[in-house]
Amino acid sequence: QQQVKQSPQSLIVQKGGISIINCAYENTAFDYFPWYQQFPGKGPALLIAIRPDVSEKKEGRFTISFNKSAKQFSLHIMDSQPGDSATYFCAASGGLSGGYQKVTFGTGTKLQVIP
Amino acid sequence: DARVTQTPRHKVTEMGQEVTMRCQPILGHNTVFWYRQTMMQGLELLAYFRNRAPLDDSGMPKDRFSAEMPDATLATLKIQPSEPRDSAVYFCASGLSSGISTDTQYFGPGTRLTVL
């Protein structure tokens, strides 16, 4: 129930195209859904996050769409650029596990944006 | 520019040797996480500290791994004895928690460990 399933594992998109990464969860206690971006040789960094009281959050070219009933959320990168090439992790947290809200990460999507 | 620092950045050691990784969380942060990242398993939580107290180390192999926070500016992860299967990138992350809620985690650059 703590799993967050992420797809696809890898993604190749043309420059200017839309990149879409999907995640699904089972635990209905989750109430915080961040996305992290990781460049090679670096640690993950928070990109954008959403709480389930809204269905969409947009920050620049990055948008999270959230479907509470389907227990799914996705990251859309509009006008994808070669500089967006990185590994993206979805995550979820909420409920209590050992007295704190544990963050569960998806398995990651390696995005390559080609010119 | 506040950031989490980790040392060493790279470590190559032989099986059986002790490995100690260090992390300096962002000043003022009260939570510290240790993660291990591999291609096969992705990001795995090893340990979690809040206000220097260990709250969760269920993801850590207890027989060989240990994590401590001697003070608020230093977290350590020790492996003794190390094994080839411990080869991975180990990340430390810190954050500011006002209670049970999970705030943004700020990751360090990682320690790439290779055990021969």
Side-chain angles (χ1 to χ4, degrees):
Chain A
Q1 260 225 330
Q2 282 297 112
Q3 272 191 329
V4 176
K5 294 182 180 179
Q6 184 172 347
S7 64
Q9 192 173 355
S10 62
L11 183 60
I12 299 175
V13 172
Q14 289 270 341
K15 178 183 173 182
I18 303 174
S19 304
I20 302 174
I21 305 170
N22 301 300
C23 285
Y25 64 97
E26 290 293 325
N27 188 346
T28 55
F30 286 149
D31 62 1
Y32 179 66
F33 302 89
W35 284 87
Y36 282 81
Q37 179 188 54
Q38 183 179 25
F39 292 105
K42 307 286 186 184
L46 179 69
L47 182 64
I48 186 173
I50 196 169
R51 294 199 182 269
D53 51 343
V54 296
S55 60
E56 186 174 283
K57 183 173 181 181
K58 185 176 181 179
E59 288 184 3
R61 297 184 292 107
F62 300 90
T63 300
I64 300 179
S65 297
F66 185 82
N67 186 329
K68 189 173 182 178
S69 60
K71 292 185 284 187
Q72 294 175 348
F73 59 110
S74 59
L75 176 69
H76 292 64
I77 306 175
M78 313 299 287
D79 187 26
S80 299
Q81 299 296 313
D84 297 330
S85 298
T87 299
Y88 293 81
F89 294 91
C90 63
S93 69
L96 287 177
S97 176
Y100 75 105
Q101 292 185 340
K102 196 171 194 172
V103 177
T104 300
F105 284 88
T107 50
T109 296
K110 188 172 183 179
L111 170 66
Q112 185 181 0
V113 181
I114 54 178
Chain B
D1 184 21
R3 58 183 68 187
V4 175
T5 58
Q6 289 186 248
T7 56
R9 292 294 314 278
H10 302 273
K11 176 73 175 179
V12 180
T13 190
E14 292 190 346
M15 183 174 64
Q17 296 298 304
E18 177 179 297
V19 175
T20 299
M21 290 169 270
R22 294 176 174 81
C23 167
Q24 183 173 17
I26 293 173
L27 189 64
H29 282 184
N30 63 348
T31 60
V32 170
F33 302 81
W34 282 104
Y35 289 92
R36 175 170 61 185
Q37 186 175 40
T38 61
M39 289 295 293
M40 295 299 296
Q41 300 295 329
L43 270 169
E44 301 174 90
L45 178 67
L46 297 176
Y48 167 69
F49 291 77
R50 187 167 71 215
N51 298 323
R52 294 178 56 200
L55 286 194
D56 187 357
D57 61 1
S58 59
M60 207 160 63
K62 300 292 191 303
D63 55 338
R64 299 182 300 107
F65 284 61
S66 61
E68 294 180 344
M69 277 203 77
D71 60 62
T73 64
L74 177 64
T76 63
L77 179 66
K78 191 175 293 186
I79 307 174
Q80 167 63 16
S82 58
E83 297 181 2
R85 60 181 167 147
D86 300 329
S87 297
V89 180
Y90 291 81
F91 287 104
C92 172
S94 72
L96 186 60
S97 173
S98 58
I100 62 170
S101 65
T102 300
D103 292 306
T104 302
Q105 296 181 32
Y106 295 83
F107 282 77
T111 294
R112 181 175 293 276
L113 174 65
T114 302
V115 183
L116 303 174

